[in-house]
Amino acid sequence: MPLIPQDEAGVQAAVADALSRGTTLAVEGLGTKRGIGRAMQAGETLSLRALSGIVTYEPEELILTAQAGTTRDVIEATLAQRGQCLAFEPPDLSALLGSDGPGTLGGMVACNLSGPRRFAAGAARDFVLGLRAVSGRGEIFKAGGRVVKNVTGYDLAKLLTGSHGTLAVLTELTLKVLPAPETAETLVLRGLPDAPALSLLRGSIALGVEPTGLAHVPGLAAPSLGETGALTLFRLEGPGPSVRARAERLRGWLAGQGAPAVETRDNVADLWRALRDARPFAGPDRRDDLVWRLSLPPASAAAVGARLAALPGVSFFFDWAGGLIWAATPARLSVETFRAALQGAGHATLIRAPEALRASVPVFPPQADGIAALSRRIKEQFDPRGILNPGRMEAGV
Amino acid sequence: MAEAAAPRPSPERLTAAFAALQALLGDRFSTAVAVRAHHGKDESYHAPFDPDGVAFARSTEEVSAIVNICADHRVPIIPFGTGTSLEGHVAALQGGISLDLSGMDRIVSVNPDDLDVTVEAGVTRKALNTHLRDTGLFFPIDPGANASLGGMAATRASGTNAVRYGTMRENVLALTVVLPDGRVVKTARRARKSAAGYDLTRLYVGSEGTLCVITEVTVRLYPIPEAISAAVCAFADIKGAVDTVIATIQQGVPVARIELLDDVQIDAINKYSKLDLPVAPTLFLEFHGSKAGVAEQAETVEAIAKDNGARGFRWTTQAEERTRLWQARHDAAYAAAALKPGAKFWATDVCVPISRLTECIVETKKDVALSFIPCPIVGHVGDGNFHVAMVVDPTRPEEIAEASRLNDRLILRALAMNGTCTGEHGVGYGKLDFLVAEHGEAVSVMRTLKQALDPLNIMNPGKIVRL
């Protein structure tokens, strides 16, 4: 049975108790992202699920504060009622990971997961204004605040975002929210090879038409989306007249670049959601594949893609104009072979893999010595006894 | 002041460190009085503290060697870019070496395809934009001063474009830093940060030189918009102006800049920048986008402004007029100081939730109206951040005391409104106590981090947290 504290004081008591008993804690919300990160063995599970509920939501301020265990469904429904959204488009990886639903706000922040709009709008981390947490020392502290700018010392809120529960137990988050785009239009090109497609995607940013989604699905990955042949997608969002004017400009530019005819499509919201959630690799045909998330400088994406294509049985698609590659590799392809094929380009994180594998190989990209030493020192300050999510990010951290 | 009583390195240590620095740097190490005095003060009213010597570095390797020497002899190091900070960040409270990075002014690599650039820490924001001129890209973060990128990263600077482009926090992709033990670390590669360990970049951005010396900075770039237009709009009262801002942001208009200047400030810039704007609360706005988008944004905001008592809404796409307007805005603090001969300015920096902004400014204006100190107000109102530029003569204790009283009242008011004492200027040694008032237990978390990452306490000691 997991420990299920009812409030922040209860979380503090649970951490203090674990400290006194010398036991370790697996920190989770609903456990939907349990499969992300290194496999770990903790003495007990500390669930934040009872710390649920929106504390304050001020639509006119574009700010929302909620307890860490509040479900994403509740948050997103509440925002939608006021025409607002989480602009970083957090993915719902439950289909990919075989878990139940998108999980909690705390899990989303702890994993710092962001979707297709990330290259234009920023990452989850950029929207975390403040938080409350209980450190591995059993101390309650708050960081950041309720305003969009502050420079009051070290940026603890950003440091904790993406720390996978290894530094402190998040209890409450304050997020910046934004008006949902009024309209969206997606321009689709068909049949382009990767390199020219990626070049057009990058070029559209420089063109100044302010795209908020730039993805390319090679032919090999297309059938999993019910498509035949490669798709290259440009999403424009905003008020109707502005979107139409920008789409017109983009069409003209694409034609001038010798691109194939632009197709206009319905149901593109579903398509973007599918890419956001890595649906191409969530189907039964790829159930046993390892799934990787690779972030890299966009200009190197085509070259990396070519190297991946040379590996047997590997499928992949590009988001963020090439800044992100989602890749599925057959289980027979070793992790070392895959990492070696990247030749040091970008960061490769193993997002889906069997527990045994996640216990034996680095899930996150191995860090340079200096960085690893610094990370350990930071871990030691927040959680000197190493009781929070031990080994989740790397052995010893 | 209490900070002055902190221990300084002994003469023996300094002598030994100086000898090693001179051997390393030759005439790029100076103990001349004028050079030291220049490096112990910033642009604020805070009392200067001269360093014992100044080292002028030319490369990351050299910075590493300098830090090693200082670590060996337990001599404090205070990184120095352009000296334009506002909370005494560069003051050598405990003596030591000012490490001047202005000679590290090379653009390391521009990557137009990836929309990023890596520069040495001493490159200034204007120099960077001049260099980028022919690429169709620009770097949007624009604090009032022509600060260095290293200093801007160290203080997590922002500016008038933050409402659309964010601050240094959102725009630094990677740093090269020299740690207190001389090791050189790159915090990230140029890829978008994505679940690869703790975010050291964000920890070091805004650490004010207390954890490391930043020697290289990689930042995001943006395409120069197809069209840019600027607008000026006067209002009957502050409330009308702020309500216009709130409605604009809620409607999702992607305004690039939206700045409030009160009547006192307008009067000051009219005199300083030779403008003839009506003396009333005024918004300066700028729109970036396509030609159609810019026109549409301006029309939307004009309609909102009219609903809120605007007196005329003038907009222009002419580059010359726009530049003149924004230069005047950037010179606002200097314009304030020019209200009184020999005066300096003490800029407050609170940031409050935007729904409380009108109340906060109106209450503050009541306070300053009763004061004998001139107090123009400018604000990055889209972010809830505003500055009262209190015009003081630092040699007159009664003026400093009065400014201090006004500042205390304003900060307590902002904290009571769930705001912060500093939206963009930072802590330095000027706001140590307010940081404790605002963050409580988090300050002890920061203290333990400082002790872990700078165990000898040689990196800009006495700033952000007291040990």
mmCIF file of all heavy atoms in Angstrom, chain A residues 74-111:
data_model
loop_
_atom_site.group_PDB
_atom_site.id
_atom_site.type_symbol
_atom_site.label_atom_id
_atom_site.label_comp_id
_atom_site.label_asym_id
_atom_site.label_seq_id
_atom_site.Cartn_x
_atom_site.Cartn_y
_atom_site.Cartn_z
ATOM 1 N N VAL A 74 -8.562 17.456 -15.032
ATOM 2 C CA VAL A 74 -9.251 18.525 -14.304
ATOM 3 C C VAL A 74 -8.679 19.882 -14.689
ATOM 4 O O VAL A 74 -9.403 20.833 -14.982
ATOM 5 C CB VAL A 74 -9.131 18.292 -12.772
ATOM 6 C CG1 VAL A 74 -9.536 19.548 -12.001
ATOM 7 C CG2 VAL A 74 -9.974 17.099 -12.357
ATOM 8 N N ILE A 75 -7.362 19.963 -14.717
ATOM 9 C CA ILE A 75 -6.707 21.239 -15.051
ATOM 10 C C ILE A 75 -7.122 21.690 -16.453
ATOM 11 O O ILE A 75 -7.547 22.829 -16.659
ATOM 12 C CB ILE A 75 -5.165 21.076 -15.042
ATOM 13 C CG1 ILE A 75 -4.660 20.573 -13.696
ATOM 14 C CG2 ILE A 75 -4.464 22.356 -15.493
ATOM 15 C CD1 ILE A 75 -4.459 21.584 -12.643
ATOM 16 N N GLU A 76 -7.025 20.785 -17.412
ATOM 17 C CA GLU A 76 -7.264 21.187 -18.791
ATOM 18 C C GLU A 76 -8.731 21.517 -19.033
ATOM 19 O O GLU A 76 -9.055 22.456 -19.770
ATOM 20 C CB GLU A 76 -6.718 20.127 -19.754
ATOM 21 C CG GLU A 76 -5.192 20.288 -19.859
ATOM 22 C CD GLU A 76 -4.474 19.106 -20.499
ATOM 23 O OE1 GLU A 76 -5.018 18.515 -21.435
ATOM 24 O OE2 GLU A 76 -3.353 18.794 -20.044
ATOM 25 N N ALA A 77 -9.645 20.783 -18.359
ATOM 26 C CA ALA A 77 -11.072 21.092 -18.499
ATOM 27 C C ALA A 77 -11.381 22.458 -17.893
ATOM 28 O O ALA A 77 -12.144 23.252 -18.458
ATOM 29 C CB ALA A 77 -11.907 20.000 -17.833
ATOM 30 N N THR A 78 -10.774 22.746 -16.765
ATOM 31 C CA THR A 78 -11.006 24.037 -16.103
ATOM 32 C C THR A 78 -10.521 25.184 -16.983
ATOM 33 O O THR A 78 -11.210 26.197 -17.141
ATOM 34 C CB THR A 78 -10.258 24.070 -14.745
ATOM 35 O OG1 THR A 78 -10.672 22.946 -13.977
ATOM 36 C CG2 THR A 78 -10.546 25.356 -13.986
ATOM 37 N N LEU A 79 -9.353 25.008 -17.558
ATOM 38 C CA LEU A 79 -8.811 26.060 -18.421
ATOM 39 C C LEU A 79 -9.668 26.228 -19.673
ATOM 40 O O LEU A 79 -9.941 27.353 -20.099
ATOM 41 C CB LEU A 79 -7.370 25.720 -18.833
ATOM 42 C CG LEU A 79 -6.323 25.718 -17.718
ATOM 43 C CD1 LEU A 79 -4.973 25.251 -18.258
ATOM 44 C CD2 LEU A 79 -6.191 27.114 -17.118
ATOM 45 N N ALA A 80 -10.110 25.103 -20.233
ATOM 46 C CA ALA A 80 -10.884 25.160 -21.480
ATOM 47 C C ALA A 80 -12.179 25.941 -21.286
ATOM 48 O O ALA A 80 -12.623 26.651 -22.190
ATOM 49 C CB ALA A 80 -11.166 23.745 -21.981
ATOM 50 N N GLN A 81 -12.769 25.833 -20.091
ATOM 51 C CA GLN A 81 -14.012 26.583 -19.829
ATOM 52 C C GLN A 81 -13.828 28.084 -19.989
ATOM 53 O O GLN A 81 -14.771 28.797 -20.271
ATOM 54 C CB GLN A 81 -14.499 26.310 -18.396
ATOM 55 C CG GLN A 81 -15.272 25.018 -18.266
ATOM 56 C CD GLN A 81 -15.578 24.691 -16.816
ATOM 57 O OE1 GLN A 81 -15.404 25.525 -15.925
ATOM 58 N NE2 GLN A 81 -16.048 23.482 -16.572
ATOM 59 N N ARG A 82 -12.600 28.549 -19.767
ATOM 60 C CA ARG A 82 -12.333 29.976 -19.901
ATOM 61 C C ARG A 82 -11.520 30.275 -21.154
ATOM 62 O O ARG A 82 -10.921 31.352 -21.268
ATOM 63 C CB ARG A 82 -11.596 30.498 -18.654
ATOM 64 C CG ARG A 82 -12.350 30.273 -17.362
ATOM 65 C CD ARG A 82 -13.690 31.022 -17.362
ATOM 66 N NE ARG A 82 -13.496 32.448 -17.506
ATOM 67 C CZ ARG A 82 -13.542 33.303 -16.480
ATOM 68 N NH1 ARG A 82 -13.823 32.874 -15.278
ATOM 69 N NH2 ARG A 82 -13.354 34.587 -16.673
ATOM 70 N N GLY A 83 -11.505 29.344 -22.082
ATOM 71 C CA GLY A 83 -10.808 29.580 -23.355
ATOM 72 C C GLY A 83 -9.298 29.666 -23.195
ATOM 73 O O GLY A 83 -8.620 30.303 -23.994
ATOM 74 N N GLN A 84 -8.756 29.022 -22.143
ATOM 75 C CA GLN A 84 -7.312 29.078 -21.937
ATOM 76 C C GLN A 84 -6.697 27.675 -22.018
ATOM 77 O O GLN A 84 -7.422 26.684 -22.119
ATOM 78 C CB GLN A 84 -7.014 29.752 -20.582
ATOM 79 C CG GLN A 84 -7.531 31.190 -20.573
ATOM 80 C CD GLN A 84 -7.192 31.967 -19.319
ATOM 81 O OE1 GLN A 84 -6.775 31.401 -18.313
ATOM 82 N NE2 GLN A 84 -7.385 33.276 -19.381
ATOM 83 N N CYS A 85 -5.378 27.612 -21.995
ATOM 84 C CA CYS A 85 -4.714 26.322 -22.167
ATOM 85 C C CYS A 85 -3.307 26.332 -21.581
ATOM 86 O O CYS A 85 -2.799 27.381 -21.203
ATOM 87 C CB CYS A 85 -4.630 25.971 -23.661
ATOM 88 S SG CYS A 85 -3.482 27.033 -24.570
ATOM 89 N N LEU A 86 -2.725 25.162 -21.503
ATOM 90 C CA LEU A 86 -1.292 25.033 -21.204
ATOM 91 C C LEU A 86 -0.574 25.127 -22.551
ATOM 92 O O LEU A 86 -0.667 24.224 -23.378
ATOM 93 C CB LEU A 86 -0.993 23.687 -20.533
ATOM 94 C CG LEU A 86 -1.685 23.453 -19.183
ATOM 95 C CD1 LEU A 86 -1.457 22.019 -18.699
ATOM 96 C CD2 LEU A 86 -1.193 24.447 -18.136
ATOM 97 N N ALA A 87 0.107 26.244 -22.767
ATOM 98 C CA ALA A 87 0.592 26.539 -24.115
ATOM 99 C C ALA A 87 1.686 25.591 -24.578
ATOM 100 O O ALA A 87 1.966 25.505 -25.766
ATOM 101 C CB ALA A 87 1.091 27.980 -24.180
ATOM 102 N N PHE A 88 2.336 24.876 -23.642
ATOM 103 C CA PHE A 88 3.432 23.993 -24.050
ATOM 104 C C PHE A 88 2.917 22.631 -24.492
ATOM 105 O O PHE A 88 3.698 21.735 -24.783
ATOM 106 C CB PHE A 88 4.462 23.861 -22.924
ATOM 107 C CG PHE A 88 3.871 23.500 -21.590
ATOM 108 C CD1 PHE A 88 3.799 22.177 -21.193
ATOM 109 C CD2 PHE A 88 3.381 24.480 -20.747
ATOM 110 C CE1 PHE A 88 3.250 21.837 -19.968
ATOM 111 C CE2 PHE A 88 2.819 24.143 -19.517
ATOM 112 C CZ PHE A 88 2.749 22.830 -19.124
ATOM 113 N N GLU A 89 1.597 22.461 -24.568
ATOM 114 C CA GLU A 89 0.990 21.244 -25.118
ATOM 115 C C GLU A 89 1.526 19.965 -24.489
ATOM 116 O O GLU A 89 2.093 19.111 -25.190
ATOM 117 C CB GLU A 89 1.273 21.164 -26.629
ATOM 118 C CG GLU A 89 0.208 21.750 -27.507
ATOM 119 C CD GLU A 89 0.478 21.464 -28.990
ATOM 120 O OE1 GLU A 89 1.562 21.830 -29.473
ATOM 121 O OE2 GLU A 89 -0.390 20.870 -29.651
ATOM 122 N N PRO A 90 1.385 19.788 -23.185
ATOM 123 C CA PRO A 90 1.964 18.590 -22.565
ATOM 124 C C PRO A 90 1.401 17.318 -23.185
ATOM 125 O O PRO A 90 0.205 17.214 -23.422
ATOM 126 C CB PRO A 90 1.553 18.716 -21.097
ATOM 127 C CG PRO A 90 0.376 19.641 -21.100
ATOM 128 C CD PRO A 90 0.602 20.587 -22.236
ATOM 129 N N PRO A 91 2.266 16.356 -23.488
ATOM 130 C CA PRO A 91 1.791 15.112 -24.086
ATOM 131 C C PRO A 91 1.073 14.223 -23.064
ATOM 132 O O PRO A 91 1.264 14.367 -21.864
ATOM 133 C CB PRO A 91 3.082 14.437 -24.558
ATOM 134 C CG PRO A 91 4.165 15.032 -23.741
ATOM 135 C CD PRO A 91 3.727 16.411 -23.364
ATOM 136 N N ASP A 92 0.266 13.348 -23.589
ATOM 137 C CA ASP A 92 -0.352 12.295 -22.784
ATOM 138 C C ASP A 92 0.282 10.996 -23.282
ATOM 139 O O ASP A 92 -0.069 10.496 -24.349
ATOM 140 C CB ASP A 92 -1.859 12.302 -23.012
ATOM 141 C CG ASP A 92 -2.544 11.094 -22.380
ATOM 142 O OD1 ASP A 92 -1.847 10.265 -21.750
ATOM 143 O OD2 ASP A 92 -3.774 10.976 -22.533
ATOM 144 N N LEU A 93 1.224 10.476 -22.527
ATOM 145 C CA LEU A 93 1.977 9.320 -23.006
ATOM 146 C C LEU A 93 1.375 7.999 -22.538
ATOM 147 O O LEU A 93 2.019 6.949 -22.620
ATOM 148 C CB LEU A 93 3.441 9.423 -22.555
ATOM 149 C CG LEU A 93 4.191 10.650 -23.087
ATOM 150 C CD1 LEU A 93 5.616 10.700 -22.550
ATOM 151 C CD2 LEU A 93 4.207 10.676 -24.614
ATOM 152 N N SER A 94 0.119 8.042 -22.078
ATOM 153 C CA SER A 94 -0.441 6.811 -21.498
ATOM 154 C C SER A 94 -0.573 5.694 -22.533
ATOM 155 O O SER A 94 -0.338 4.529 -22.222
ATOM 156 C CB SER A 94 -1.770 7.100 -20.802
ATOM 157 O OG SER A 94 -2.666 7.734 -21.679
ATOM 158 N N ALA A 95 -0.944 6.041 -23.764
ATOM 159 C CA ALA A 95 -1.060 4.983 -24.777
ATOM 160 C C ALA A 95 0.316 4.376 -25.058
ATOM 161 O O ALA A 95 0.477 3.166 -25.169
ATOM 162 C CB ALA A 95 -1.658 5.547 -26.064
ATOM 163 N N LEU A 96 1.314 5.235 -25.131
ATOM 164 C CA LEU A 96 2.671 4.764 -25.393
ATOM 165 C C LEU A 96 3.180 3.888 -24.253
ATOM 166 O O LEU A 96 3.804 2.854 -24.473
ATOM 167 C CB LEU A 96 3.603 5.964 -25.576
ATOM 168 C CG LEU A 96 5.047 5.620 -25.951
ATOM 169 C CD1 LEU A 96 5.127 5.176 -27.402
ATOM 170 C CD2 LEU A 96 5.968 6.822 -25.734
ATOM 171 N N LEU A 97 2.917 4.339 -23.020
ATOM 172 C CA LEU A 97 3.491 3.651 -21.863
ATOM 173 C C LEU A 97 2.567 2.576 -21.305
ATOM 174 O O LEU A 97 2.924 1.876 -20.359
ATOM 175 C CB LEU A 97 3.806 4.674 -20.755
ATOM 176 C CG LEU A 97 4.809 5.778 -21.126
ATOM 177 C CD1 LEU A 97 4.912 6.811 -20.015
ATOM 178 C CD2 LEU A 97 6.182 5.182 -21.416
ATOM 179 N N GLY A 98 1.352 2.505 -21.866
ATOM 180 C CA GLY A 98 0.410 1.514 -21.366
ATOM 181 C C GLY A 98 -0.097 1.851 -19.974
ATOM 182 O O GLY A 98 -0.410 0.971 -19.176
ATOM 183 N N SER A 99 -0.161 3.150 -19.672
ATOM 184 C CA SER A 99 -0.682 3.553 -18.362
ATOM 185 C C SER A 99 -2.061 4.172 -18.543
ATOM 186 O O SER A 99 -2.580 4.260 -19.654
ATOM 187 C CB SER A 99 0.287 4.514 -17.683
ATOM 188 O OG SER A 99 0.543 5.639 -18.505
ATOM 189 N N ASP A 100 -2.617 4.664 -17.430
ATOM 190 C CA ASP A 100 -4.009 5.049 -17.434
ATOM 191 C C ASP A 100 -4.170 6.562 -17.332
ATOM 192 O O ASP A 100 -4.158 7.112 -16.240
ATOM 193 C CB ASP A 100 -4.692 4.330 -16.248
ATOM 194 C CG ASP A 100 -6.206 4.514 -16.301
ATOM 195 O OD1 ASP A 100 -6.712 4.888 -17.372
ATOM 196 O OD2 ASP A 100 -6.851 4.297 -15.269
ATOM 197 N N GLY A 101 -4.291 7.232 -18.457
ATOM 198 C CA GLY A 101 -4.569 8.665 -18.445
ATOM 199 C C GLY A 101 -3.309 9.511 -18.361
ATOM 200 O O GLY A 101 -2.210 9.007 -18.176
ATOM 201 N N PRO A 102 -3.494 10.827 -18.548
ATOM 202 C CA PRO A 102 -2.334 11.722 -18.614
ATOM 203 C C PRO A 102 -1.672 11.981 -17.269
ATOM 204 O O PRO A 102 -0.604 12.594 -17.233
ATOM 205 C CB PRO A 102 -2.917 13.012 -19.189
ATOM 206 C CG PRO A 102 -4.359 12.980 -18.845
ATOM 207 C CD PRO A 102 -4.767 11.541 -18.793
ATOM 208 N N GLY A 103 -2.292 11.579 -16.164
ATOM 209 C CA GLY A 103 -1.627 11.735 -14.874
ATOM 210 C C GLY A 103 -1.859 13.085 -14.229
ATOM 211 O O GLY A 103 -2.836 13.776 -14.527
ATOM 212 N N THR A 104 -0.921 13.479 -13.384
ATOM 213 C CA THR A 104 -1.122 14.663 -12.547
ATOM 214 C C THR A 104 -0.229 15.820 -12.978
ATOM 215 O O THR A 104 0.752 15.652 -13.706
ATOM 216 C CB THR A 104 -0.773 14.341 -11.084
ATOM 217 O OG1 THR A 104 0.620 13.995 -11.021
ATOM 218 C CG2 THR A 104 -1.611 13.193 -10.537
ATOM 219 N N LEU A 105 -0.591 16.971 -12.428
ATOM 220 C CA LEU A 105 0.182 18.186 -12.652
ATOM 221 C C LEU A 105 1.621 18.004 -12.145
ATOM 222 O O LEU A 105 2.583 18.377 -12.818
ATOM 223 C CB LEU A 105 -0.507 19.325 -11.883
ATOM 224 C CG LEU A 105 0.016 20.728 -12.082
ATOM 225 C CD1 LEU A 105 -0.139 21.146 -13.529
ATOM 226 C CD2 LEU A 105 -0.738 21.703 -11.176
ATOM 227 N N GLY A 106 1.751 17.418 -10.959
ATOM 228 C CA GLY A 106 3.085 17.224 -10.380
ATOM 229 C C GLY A 106 3.957 16.354 -11.267
ATOM 230 O O GLY A 106 5.138 16.644 -11.481
ATOM 231 N N GLY A 107 3.386 15.291 -11.815
ATOM 232 C CA GLY A 107 4.145 14.401 -12.691
ATOM 233 C C GLY A 107 4.565 15.109 -13.962
ATOM 234 O O GLY A 107 5.678 14.929 -14.462
ATOM 235 N N MET A 108 3.657 15.941 -14.471
ATOM 236 C CA MET A 108 3.962 16.683 -15.695
ATOM 237 C C MET A 108 5.158 17.612 -15.470
ATOM 238 O O MET A 108 6.064 17.703 -16.308
ATOM 239 C CB MET A 108 2.725 17.496 -16.085
ATOM 240 C CG MET A 108 2.890 18.369 -17.299
ATOM 241 S SD MET A 108 1.457 19.459 -17.478
ATOM 242 C CE MET A 108 1.932 20.776 -16.360
ATOM 243 N N VAL A 109 5.166 18.296 -14.311
ATOM 244 C CA VAL A 109 6.267 19.226 -14.029
ATOM 245 C C VAL A 109 7.547 18.451 -13.708
ATOM 246 O O VAL A 109 8.634 18.805 -14.168
ATOM 247 C CB VAL A 109 5.877 20.175 -12.873
ATOM 248 C CG1 VAL A 109 7.075 20.989 -12.407
ATOM 249 C CG2 VAL A 109 4.746 21.096 -13.314
ATOM 250 N N ALA A 110 7.411 17.375 -12.950
ATOM 251 C CA ALA A 110 8.599 16.594 -12.574
ATOM 252 C C ALA A 110 9.303 16.042 -13.807
ATOM 253 O O ALA A 110 10.524 15.917 -13.836
ATOM 254 C CB ALA A 110 8.218 15.466 -11.633
ATOM 255 N N CYS A 111 8.522 15.705 -14.840
ATOM 256 C CA CYS A 111 9.123 15.148 -16.061
ATOM 257 C C CYS A 111 9.383 16.218 -17.132
ATOM 258 O O CYS A 111 10.003 15.931 -18.152
ATOM 259 C CB CYS A 111 8.230 14.055 -16.639
ATOM 260 S SG CYS A 111 8.093 12.629 -15.552
#
